């Protein structure tokens, strides 16, 4: 007996509803997806199938950011090979440079985080480039012929940071202020300049450096020119850098 098309549709609808009700009764999760299934006879069924396993991504499975920069040729002979740098590679450069120049790697990381947020291709409006945001004159002053080269950039930046720490007898406020605004600005102000940008910069770097879990090492860097206070048995106080 042939049923009218409307009766067939109603019957298919009731069958699908019965299947869905049975699956719900069996304890299927409420957030399961509805899937359409067609059997060999061409009949259509709708079931609350689980989402494919391949679509279930762990929230902790994050891809490390990486950057590829193509090779660059120059008529002056200063060509740069292509490079691929991820966060692990940048961390390795920081550790190596910090060890060479005896600077706390946690401080270098704090400077890079504040300066470029770990982007080796970063460029500021003032022309500072790379992970440690070196201006061309500073980069060349500390041996970086290619300021975009992550290895040269980090090494020159760490050397510059150590020079500032030595210049200001280990005063981190003054060293960071000079890194941001230049030694001349710090010397003229006899302290941290009143520039809002510089003061915010000093605070941001120190927040990153002193926060829990930064890996900060106490006493790693010792300034040979630091001034020490000595009190003699007579009570006389002597300040010396010996």
């Amino acid at each position: 007996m042939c049923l009218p098309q409307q009766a067939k549709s109603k019957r298919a609808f009731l069958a699908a509803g019965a299947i869905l009700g049975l699956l719900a009764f069996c304890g299927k999760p409420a957030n399961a997806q509805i899937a359409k299934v067609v059997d060999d006879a061409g009949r259509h069924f709708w079931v609350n199938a689980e989402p494919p396993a391949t679509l279930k991504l762990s929230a902790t499975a994050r891809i490390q950011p990486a950057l590829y920069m193509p090779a660059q040729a120059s008529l002056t002979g200063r060509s740069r090979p292509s490079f691929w740098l991820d966060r692990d590679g940048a961390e390795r450069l920081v550790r190596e440079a910090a060890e060479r120049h005896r600077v706390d790697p946690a401080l270098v990381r704090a400077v890079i985080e504040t300066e470029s947020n770990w982007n080796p291709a970063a460029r500021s409006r003032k022309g500072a480039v790379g992970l440690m945001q070196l201006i061309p004159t500073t980069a060349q002053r500390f041996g970086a012929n290619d300021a975009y080269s992550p290895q040269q950039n980090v090494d020159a930046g760490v050397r510059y940071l150590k020079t500032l720490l030595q210049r200001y007898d280990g005063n981190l406020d003054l060293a960071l202020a000079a890194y941001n605004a230049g030694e001349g600005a710090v010397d003229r102000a006899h302290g941290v300049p009143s520039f809002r940008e510089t003061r915010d910069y000093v605070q941001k770097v120190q927040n990153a450096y002193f926060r829990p879990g930064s890996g900060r090492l106490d006493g790693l860097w010792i300034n040979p020119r630091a001034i020490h206070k000595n009190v003699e048995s007579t009570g006389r106080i002597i300040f010396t850098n010996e």
Side-chain angles (χ1 to χ4, degrees), residues 160-223:
Y160 181 39
L161 187 59
K162 180 177 180 178
T163 298
L164 295 175
L165 288 167
Q166 291 175 329
R167 179 186 179 105
Y168 297 108
D169 296 321
N171 187 313
L172 188 57
D173 286 343
L174 298 183
L176 293 175
Y179 195 97
N180 176 261
E183 298 109 300
V186 172
D187 295 343
R188 288 191 296 272
H190 302 288
V192 177
S194 59
F195 310 139
R196 177 66 178 272
E197 176 189 339
T198 300
R199 292 183 175 273
D200 288 346
Y201 173 84
V202 171
Q203 188 63 52
K204 287 179 181 178
V205 175
Q206 295 204 37
N207 287 345
Y209 182 46
F210 289 102
R211 71 185 172 207
S214 70
R216 181 171 59 91
L217 302 176
D218 293 326
L220 175 65
W221 185 81
I222 301 174
N223 180 13

Side-chain angles (χ1 to χ4, degrees), residues 22-219:
L22 178 61
L23 291 173
F25 180 78
C26 293
K28 285 288 184 181
N31 61 352
Q33 296 180 350
I34 303 298
K36 180 180 178 181
V37 179
V38 182
D39 67 2
D40 295 336
R43 291 178 300 180
H44 294 223
F45 299 93
W46 288 263
V47 296
N48 58 339
E50 290 291 301
T54 55
L55 297 179
K56 294 181 179 180
L57 299 179
S58 170
T60 59
R62 309 220 173 182
I63 299 175
Q64 286 280 4
L67 176 79
Y68 171 78
M69 291 190 70
Q72 184 180 69
S74 172
L75 296 177
T76 63
R78 293 181 177 178
S79 60
R80 179 183 64 234
S82 62
F83 69 85
W84 175 274
L85 185 74
D86 60 9
R87 177 61 182 271
D88 291 337
E91 287 279 3
R92 178 178 55 80
L93 295 179
V94 168
R95 290 193 303 269
E96 292 174 352
E99 182 177 352
R100 274 194 302 272
H101 304 299
R102 298 191 68 241
V103 176
D104 190 346
L107 178 58
V108 180
R109 286 195 294 269
V111 170
I112 291 177
E113 178 182 318
T114 305
E115 288 282 358
S116 66
N117 196 27
W118 296 94
N119 179 10
R123 181 181 180 89
S124 74
R125 290 173 296 177
K126 298 179 180 179
V129 302
L131 288 167
M132 299 197 72
Q133 289 293 276
L134 302 178
I135 61 174
T137 54
T138 302
Q140 293 178 3
R141 174 184 168 191
F142 291 96
N145 294 323
D146 180 8
Y148 275 113
S149 164
Q151 184 173 10
Q152 293 186 38
N153 188 283
V154 171
D155 187 79
V158 173
R159 288 180 61 192
Y160 181 39
L161 187 59
K162 180 177 180 178
T163 298
L164 295 175
L165 288 167
Q166 291 175 329
R167 179 186 179 105
Y168 297 108
D169 296 321
N171 187 313
L172 188 57
D173 286 343
L174 298 183
L176 293 175
Y179 195 97
N180 176 261
E183 298 109 300
V186 172
D187 295 343
R188 288 191 296 272
H190 302 288
V192 177
S194 59
F195 310 139
R196 177 66 178 272
E197 176 189 339
T198 300
R199 292 183 175 273
D200 288 346
Y201 173 84
V202 171
Q203 188 63 52
K204 287 179 181 178
V205 175
Q206 295 204 37
N207 287 345
Y209 182 46
F210 289 102
R211 71 185 172 207
S214 70
R216 181 171 59 91
L217 302 176
D218 293 326

